[in-house]
Amino acid sequence: MNGRTQKISKEETCPQKNRTVSEGYVGGQTFLWITENNLTDTNQLGDGLLEMIVSPSNLNRAYQQVKRNKGSGGVDKMEVESLQDYLVIHKDELITSILQGNYRPNPVRRVLIPKDNGHRKLGIPTVVDRCIQQAIAQVLSPMYEPQFSDNSYGFRPRRNAHGALRKCQAYITEGYKYAVDLDLEKFFDTVNHSKLIETLSRTVKDGRVVSLIHKYLNAGVQVGSKIRTSEVGVPQGGPLSPILSNIMLNEMDKELESREHKFVRYADDLLILCRSKRSAERTMSSMIHFIEDKLFLKVNREKSQSAHIRKVKFLGYSFYKSKGEGRLRIHRKSVAKMKAKIKELTSRSNGWGNSRRKEVLRQYITGWGNYFKLADMKNRLLRIDEWYRRRIRMVIWKQWKRIRTRVKNLIKLGVKKSKAWEWANTRKSYWHTANSFILKTTITTENLRKAGYVMLSDQYRKVSIKT
DNA sequence: TCTCCTACCAC
RNA sequence: UUUGUGGUAGGAGA
């Protein structure tokens, strides 16, 4: 199964490794291996932002990123494998049409993916558009990073969910026991274009860049063979979308900061910490007002609440306070999800082979345990482990039961008793060794306790890294 | 120490 | 069945 991937990586890494052979005649641009065939036009680098975006080094980095992600194609069905060939041929006309302002992005391909409730709408741009969007994002990111809030953690370099959770924990320790949990309804679909463009042009002074981004917002979606225009929303699926969402919601962050609220935001998930129930309620209604009237976004009132910190769910965790300190625990929905997944992996994965099943389980458990390692849960860890062991035993028992009924049927049909039981025992020992192997080696206390130890060492690391 | 690749997890 | 960030494990190399 990994023969294919090895082959691909060999084929694709070789030209990159060998790129230095051309160093002699292409001078300073050698590291841009897309352009090494035709780089007569590299001295168009000005100080304009658009020129920075279409500069060979930036476009090259963007291309590399798009290729690395190995996403599927957009409406033109071009895949990332053929992207390089396309770019070396059409790079010049692409760049000039972008610079002249007559580049028209393709509409995005509509893909629906199942979510917990309902489905999520994705808009997948063509691979070429993903490159250009990535190039824009790469230039915008360093411009915006300094002005983004310290309390915003989603979609940002060197920031993660764990940082957001640590911050919540710190606020709770400081005595903020009530929280406003605001859920922005279908955030990506409801972004108001003119508000976003207005916010954008406050920082992005190059009007051509703003207009290019505007074109991406207006590119529309293709459903079947029809192209539908998009007056609101930013397509969920483009490299530009995450930073645009942060640019939009940075306005909200600034408002919260000017009101001196304690808050933590992860993408469109917002938690405002308050000292009292009354102030939480007041904050919630005034922030809903602000978000809907000033930012023209919609707040999902059913999912939003102001409540004691024990009741809120944030990034898969929930909170409580013990001995004056804020603590984290795994929200029960996350535990339920994990159980469902393990159930699926242990029972419905027939025909996968045992080593494969063991490997998949190990990967899932380590990933899961690693994400939820911030939770205070020695007891919880052991409970999960116990549950898992019972689950495996049950699977073994069920299989044995199935074998026994089958043996009885065979005897009824006239098969010799000894022959039937001999067969049964070989089946039994097969299943038993298969499953007890998993029981012993995959998860168990060792693996889960390891997650607990990692948590402790991580606290040390966290202190030193996190300034 | 660093670079690159794969796989998985969370949001 | 997509994008982004971060994390974990494994592999190849100097």
Side-chain angles (χ1 to χ4, degrees):
Chain A
M1 63 189 155
N2 49 6
R4 189 178 48 122
T5 50
Q6 273 177 359
K7 194 178 154 212
I8 287 172
S9 70
K10 253 181 200 159
E11 277 173 6
E12 308 229 336
T13 49
C14 272
Q16 284 177 52
K17 279 188 172 176
N18 294 342
R19 71 199 170 204
T20 43
V21 291
S22 51
E23 191 163 7
Y25 67 92
V26 286
Q29 299 291 343
T30 44
F31 54 99
L32 320 170
W33 62 288
I34 294 182
T35 58
E36 65 189 12
N37 293 328
N38 50 353
L39 25 82
T40 47
D41 58 333
T42 46
N43 46 2
Q44 63 197 3
L45 276 153
D47 28 22
L49 198 59
L50 192 57
E51 279 76 14
M52 254 170 88
I53 288 168
V54 298
S55 78
S57 71
N58 191 52
L59 280 180
N60 189 56
R61 199 153 59 89
Y63 161 74
Q64 302 269 14
Q65 186 60 44
V66 171
K67 190 184 73 164
R68 245 203 299 280
N69 290 335
K70 286 204 279 291
S72 70
V75 286
D76 60 357
K77 303 233 162 63
M78 192 199 289
E79 302 289 331
V80 281
E81 286 83 36
S82 40
L83 181 56
Q84 187 186 351
D85 294 334
Y86 179 88
L87 284 181
V88 293
I89 299 168
H90 296 96
K91 168 179 152 314
D92 292 337
E93 54 174 300
L94 204 61
I95 289 173
T96 48
S97 74
I98 290 169
L99 285 173
Q100 286 167 8
N102 47 26
Y103 177 75
R104 289 281 173 276
N106 289 104
V108 293
R109 183 164 61 94
R110 172 62 82 234
V111 168
L112 299 175
I113 58 166
K115 234 180 103 185
D116 309 343
N117 39 12
H119 50 78
R120 197 157 76 108
K121 280 188 280 185
L122 290 183
I124 303 167
T126 64
V127 282
V128 175
D129 283 328
R130 287 218 292 275
C131 273
I132 300 168
Q133 285 195 33
Q134 178 70 28
I136 299 170
Q138 280 167 6
V139 171
L140 289 191
S141 179
M143 292 173 64
Y144 270 100
E145 272 305 312
Q147 45 177 307
F148 282 158
S149 165
D150 188 42
N151 299 308
S152 151
Y153 288 86
F155 303 130
R156 292 186 58 188
R158 294 174 302 280
R159 290 179 156 251
N160 57 25
H162 287 166
L165 289 159
R166 290 286 193 214
K167 193 82 164 215
C168 289
Q169 194 178 13
Y171 284 147
I172 291 165
T173 304
E174 279 176 37
Y176 294 85
K177 280 185 286 194
Y178 290 88
V180 181
D181 181 6
L182 278 182
D183 184 90
L184 299 179
E185 190 170 336
K186 295 195 202 88
F187 167 73
F188 279 100
D189 302 338
T190 55
V191 174
N192 181 287
H193 284 185
S194 39
K195 181 68 190 171
L196 178 56
I197 291 295
E198 181 215 310
T199 313
L200 206 56
S201 29
R202 269 210 298 281
T203 302
V204 182
K205 297 299 181 193
D206 193 331
R208 298 168 301 168
V209 176
V210 176
S211 128
L212 182 59
I213 292 171
H214 204 158
K215 279 176 194 157
Y216 272 109
L217 295 178
N218 289 328
V221 290
Q222 184 164 335
V223 184
S225 57
K226 279 190 207 137
I227 292 171
R228 209 171 290 168
T229 54
S230 46
E231 293 89 22
V232 292
V234 0
Q236 214 170 153
L240 203 51
S241 311
I243 192 164
L244 288 183
S245 81
N246 270 341
I247 288 168
M248 191 70 187
L249 293 174
N250 188 35
E251 298 299 297
M252 184 173 75
D253 296 345
K254 283 197 280 194
E255 178 70 16
L256 285 161
E257 266 160 14
S258 74
R259 298 185 190 186
E260 297 187 329
H261 279 129
K262 305 291 175 191
F263 72 98
V264 175
R265 183 170 70 79
Y266 192 96
D268 57 350
D269 215 344
L270 174 68
L271 206 64
I272 310 167
L273 286 307
C274 301
R275 284 195 188 273
S276 72
K277 196 169 165 60
R278 282 193 68 86
S279 102
E281 282 162 2
R282 213 171 40 233
T283 306
M284 176 153 132
S285 67
S286 86
M287 278 316 291
I288 288 178
H289 201 266
F290 173 82
I291 290 163
E292 297 196 332
D293 295 353
K294 295 281 174 7
L295 299 181
F296 309 109
L297 296 168
K298 269 192 87 174
V299 174
N300 188 336
R301 280 146 207 269
E302 276 77 45
K303 285 190 185 169
S304 302
Q305 55 169 349
S306 71
H308 192 270
I309 41 142
R310 271 179 185 280
K311 305 234 171 188
V312 307
K313 173 179 184 283
F314 189 61
L315 305 180
Y317 283 79
S318 57
F319 309 97
Y320 65 101
K321 203 171 174 181
S322 167
K323 293 172 191 160
E325 261 185 47
R327 302 268 171 106
L328 299 167
R329 66 155 48 113
I330 306 174
H331 194 267
R332 50 192 158 73
K333 274 190 185 166
S334 309
V335 176
K337 211 172 153 189
M338 184 270 302
K339 287 189 176 186
K341 180 84 174 182
I342 289 192
K343 202 167 189 171
E344 187 198 323
L345 292 179
T346 46
S347 63
R348 212 169 53 85
S349 59
N350 303 331
W352 247 11
N354 240 342
S355 55
R356 169 89 174 129
R357 200 194 319 188
K358 178 176 155 265
E359 180 58 19
V360 169
L361 265 167
R362 197 190 60 81
Q363 281 172 350
Y364 177 74
I365 294 290
T366 42
W368 191 90
N370 188 48
Y371 180 73
F372 287 107
K373 71 188 174 187
L374 296 189
D376 264 305
M377 45 153 201
K378 270 210 159 130
N379 296 331
R380 183 69 70 92
L381 271 172
L382 293 173
R383 271 219 299 280
I384 290 164
D385 182 36
E386 197 46 50
W387 178 87
Y388 175 86
R389 288 235 278 265
R390 243 182 314 177
R391 164 88 202 150
I392 300 272
R393 287 207 190 94
M394 199 185 73
V395 169
I396 295 170
W397 182 75
K398 268 190 180 168
Q399 281 159 349
W400 176 235
K401 205 177 153 191
R402 210 175 302 141
I403 290 166
R404 267 190 9 204
T405 55
R406 200 142 161 218
V407 165
K408 279 173 190 162
N409 285 339
L410 285 172
I411 292 169
K412 262 186 208 162
L413 290 170
V415 177
K416 261 190 198 160
K417 255 190 177 180
S418 55
K419 261 279 199 276
W421 282 109
E422 195 187 316
W423 172 83
N425 280 326
T426 53
R427 296 295 298 170
K428 183 190 169 187
S429 69
Y430 168 75
W431 282 110
H432 187 76
T433 48
N435 286 303
S436 67
F437 188 59
I438 294 173
L439 197 62
K440 273 191 205 133
T441 52
T442 40
I443 166 180
T444 72
T445 25
E446 192 206 350
N447 236 330
L448 287 172
R449 230 184 270 139
K450 208 172 91 190
Y453 290 138
V454 171
M455 179 180 77
L456 293 176
S457 67
D458 183 68
Q459 279 178 342
Y460 276 101
R461 261 218 321 260
K462 211 85 195 178
V463 175
S464 56
I465 290 171
K466 224 189 157 288
T467 56

